[in-house]
């Protein structure tokens, strides 16, 4: 049915955020040439055949962690205020963040790309450039994928990570009452960025630089994930996940609170003073509760985990960005600063 | 930016092809429950952890073949004339076809699903049912993925296949002048199906049953791929690929004719009498050249390969669907029935 491509009226992708002007439309040949420029199809241990055939061939002898995510225009990002480089960066960063949460070492990725007919060559080069810079930083090779027309710009990435030196992978399971809950990174800052950019567009970045950067250019916590996996090698491993839908929604997932007969709970201590000053300031200006904003979060891409209390000190020393969020309980409820927040829900794509 | 979901006006997914009526809209919880029903998260060798965590964990000790494809409403399929079951089947079948082309044994897959707000629970169940039946037939486990709102229905699948009994994988490379070109399956039949269904919708299926079935329910040639891989174990392996963009476009890819200094060529013998009678009949009624239609193809999902002439007899015996298409030459051109078809192009998403 490939010939029956839909007519698209979408023009957003051709209007560069940040004042850039783009011209020429893309052809398939131009896209493939551009891919080769930004994603060298080089040899790498564990990859016997890269992109260009029906399948890529992976010959890593190590166990693999695999994650796959969608990144869709006007659902996950807007071309009106995110630059092409930022969109390319974030499309891959969100996926690498899942590898970080498993304590895996990034190996390679596939990318399926849906492009509106209005997308322009220069925009696409910048998109590849932003993604390619991140790929190169973590030495992840682009090993395959697919190109298609699409009414909205869409990116579907699948990432592959290897086990690092027989440390094993980390998962969400295994928290026990009394364990310490910790976070690596910030919470709520990207949500503030979303608020201000949805309202004021790109110009919000001058008043709220950290919040906008947190939204547009999240940095996956790969090194922290590897350190946490190593910490679990000769002890009870930390439970770990990345926070993409907000603490309030993701913490119950870490604790396996859905459908359990005797669910765990948590007691959190999250003073507003511990939050980023841009979160606090935006809440002050807009009459919002900064702690609730931080808990609702969304797009944080921090790591959330729990570990035995005696592991904490060495983790603090090894991961400067790590901070204590609270403790795991057996109450079946999540309390934050003595308030029950069971009914504070993070983001759900399909809720009314 | 997850909150900034786009408003969708798409209604197509709620109108079942084949006369089915659907009602209730989906919730995320309902989707996850439905997934568990149609895709049991069972244990399987090579999969240490299935879906539900940040990553799935693959512990297969065999080399892996990986392929990823997009399947987008109104680009790759239409809900107006394809049923939910057929769309679910085909979204996975196209990907498994890539594993077949590599001679790999299907292991598991991830699925990213973008759904319009109008999509209904019954439709989605039928979609999962069609995909689940194929998944179960090949024992491929659903190990992960992502859900999102989307203006158009979209499916992005990544499949994983294992090497079968140390046969090695097959690739497109390695054809030599004098090799026999062969096809496993039909060419041009799905294209006829596309013509008639785009014109007359679902009712075309009563007059053109084989063509419509070829379009809507392609069957990946997994067993043939495994046999071909085995044939290459103690001899020069066949070159192999699957045909998705039509013979005219895919054969030059098999022969590596792009950018080569001394490219290979081919001499094909494809009498109209060898084509499916529905292709021939449709061409007669519409004043088209049936051989050109067959070469333009698109959505065939047959296998196209080449092998040394002395391998052919045993392949014929082992693969009843296999037929000879012609021979590889060193001419740099593709001739079919003595006509040069270098300028006959198959489908290109980004051509004008």
């Amino acid at each position: 049915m490939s010939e029956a491509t839909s007519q698209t009226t979408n023009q957003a992708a051709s209007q560069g955020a940040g004042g850039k002007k783009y011209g020429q439309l893309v052809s398939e040949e131009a896209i493939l040439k551009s891919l080769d420029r930004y994603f060298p199809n080089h040899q790498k241990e564990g990859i016997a055949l890269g992109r260009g055939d029906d399948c890529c061939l992976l010959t890593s002898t190590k166990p693999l962690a695999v994650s796959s995510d969608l990144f869709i225009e006007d659902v996950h990002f807007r071309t009106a205020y995110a630059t092409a480089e930022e969109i390319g960066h974030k499309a891959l960063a969100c996926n690498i963040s899942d590898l970080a949460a498993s304590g895996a070492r990034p190996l390679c990725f596939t990318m399926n790309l849906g492009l509106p007919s209005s997308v322009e060559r220069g925009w696409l080069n910048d998109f590849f450039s932003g993604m390619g810079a991140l790929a190169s930083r973590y030495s992840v090779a682009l090993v395959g994928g697919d190109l298609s027309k699409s009414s909205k710009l869409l990116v579907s990435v699948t990432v592959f990570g290897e086990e690092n030196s027989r440390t094993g992978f980390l998962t969400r399971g295994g928290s026990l009452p009394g364990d310490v809950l910790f976070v690596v990174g910030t919470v709520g800052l990207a949500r503030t960025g979303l608020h201000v950019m949805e309202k004021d567009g790109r110009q919000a970045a001058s008043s709220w630089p950290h919040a906008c950067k947190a939204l547009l250019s999240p940095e996956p916590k790969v090194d922290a994930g590897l350190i946490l996996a190593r910490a679990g090698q000769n002890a009870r491993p930390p439970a770990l996940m990345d926070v993409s839908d907000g603490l309030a929604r993701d913490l119950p997932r870490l604790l396996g609170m859905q459908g359990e007969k005797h669910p765990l709970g948590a007691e959190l201590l999250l003073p507003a003073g511990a939050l980023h000053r841009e979160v606090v300031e935006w809440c002050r200006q807009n009459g919002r509760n900064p702690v609730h904003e931080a808990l609702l979060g969304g797009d944080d891409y921090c790591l959330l985990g729990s570990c035995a209390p005696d592991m904490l000190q060495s983790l603090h020393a090894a991961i400067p960005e790590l901070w204590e969020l609270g403790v795991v309980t057996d109450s079946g409820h999540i309390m934050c600063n003595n308030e029950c927040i069971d009914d504070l829900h993070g983001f759900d794509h399909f809720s009314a």
Side-chain angles (χ1 to χ4, degrees), chain A:
Chain A
M1 241 260 339
S2 312
E3 287 94 339
T5 50
S6 63
Q7 208 57 29
T8 174
T9 55
N10 179 299
Q11 293 297 324
S14 61
Q15 324 264 330
K20 268 206 182 179
K21 289 266 183 290
Y22 296 112
Q24 204 184 352
L25 296 178
V26 294
S27 68
E28 184 163 349
E29 194 191 12
I31 298 171
L32 296 177
K33 273 194 185 158
S34 187
L35 274 173
D36 287 339
R37 203 175 313 125
Y38 290 102
F39 302 94
N41 206 354
H42 49 61
Q43 296 292 315
K44 186 175 173 180
E45 206 182 312
I47 303 170
L49 182 67
R51 62 185 185 271
D53 213 295
D54 291 67
C55 290
C56 70
L57 303 177
L58 305 184
T59 45
S60 171
T61 52
K62 298 175 184 166
L64 290 177
V66 180
S67 179
S68 196
D69 277 315
L70 282 174
F71 199 59
I72 305 180
E73 184 181 356
D74 291 335
V75 178
H76 301 93
F77 65 89
R78 292 210 198 273
T79 51
Y81 57 71
T83 66
E85 287 92 340
E86 287 162 348
I87 293 169
H89 168 94
K90 190 168 173 180
L92 181 57
C94 302
N95 278 276
I96 293 183
S97 180
D98 284 316
L99 294 183
S102 298
R105 180 174 291 287
L107 173 68
C108 60
F109 71 109
T110 62
M111 170 168 61
N112 294 340
L113 200 52
L115 298 173
S117 0
S118 59
V119 81
E120 288 172 345
R121 198 164 166 170
W123 191 95
L124 203 63
N125 281 339
D126 287 349
F127 170 86
F128 289 152
S129 168
M131 182 178 280
L134 183 69
S136 152
R137 189 134 38 93
Y138 290 107
S139 293
V140 280
L142 175 63
V143 291
D146 191 20
L147 290 173
S148 171
K149 278 263 169 78
S150 164
S151 56
K152 296 274 183 178
L153 195 70
L154 75 92
V155 194
S156 177
V157 166
T158 304
V159 282
F160 302 78
E162 290 180 312
E163 186 187 9
N164 191 38
S165 326
R166 300 181 169 274
T167 57
F169 291 115
L170 298 179
T171 67
R172 297 178 182 185
S175 294
L176 294 177
D179 279 0
V180 180
L181 286 162
F182 61 82
V183 169
V184 180
T186 57
V187 289
L189 190 57
R191 182 176 168 92
T192 298
L194 179 66
H195 289 315
V196 298
M197 297 204 93
E198 284 288 304
K199 181 166 174 284
D200 295 326
R202 188 79 200 175
Q203 65 181 30
S206 58
S207 307
W208 310 92
H210 294 96
C212 294
K213 189 165 188 297
L215 175 70
L216 301 173
S217 299
E219 197 57 40
K221 316 290 184 198
V222 172
D223 288 342
L226 294 172
I227 291 168
L228 287 159
R230 202 173 306 129
Q233 203 169 357
N234 298 308
R236 181 162 61 85
L240 199 67
M241 71 182 297
D242 81 328
V243 179
S244 54
D245 293 336
L247 269 186
R249 196 171 172 84
D250 284 332
L251 180 54
R253 292 172 174 156
L254 183 83
L255 300 175
M257 288 172 71
Q258 306 92 334
E260 291 288 318
K261 265 194 181 166
H262 302 290
L264 295 173
E267 206 137 326
L268 314 182
L269 192 67
L270 190 64
L275 301 176
H276 194 281
R277 57 183 163 71
E278 290 186 10
V279 176
V280 177
E281 176 57 20
W282 183 85
C283 287
R284 194 190 61 75
Q285 290 182 20
N286 291 274
R288 302 275 186 105
N289 178 332
V291 174
H292 285 188
E293 282 294 311
L295 291 170
L296 287 170
D299 269 10
D300 290 318
Y301 299 107
C302 57
L303 297 179
L304 168 66
S306 72
C307 66
D310 62 7
M311 189 183 273
L312 193 67
Q313 199 181 348
S314 63
L315 291 181
H316 264 307
I319 307 172
E321 268 191 293
L322 183 143
W323 50 278
E324 281 177 62
L325 176 66
V327 291
V328 178
T329 68
D330 58 3
S331 71
H333 302 287
I334 297 183
M335 308 292 293
C336 181
N337 307 337
N338 292 320
E339 174 197 8
C340 179
I341 59 152
D342 288 345
D343 295 329
L344 202 66
H345 297 300
F347 179 71
D348 176 350
H349 270 283
F350 296 92
S351 66

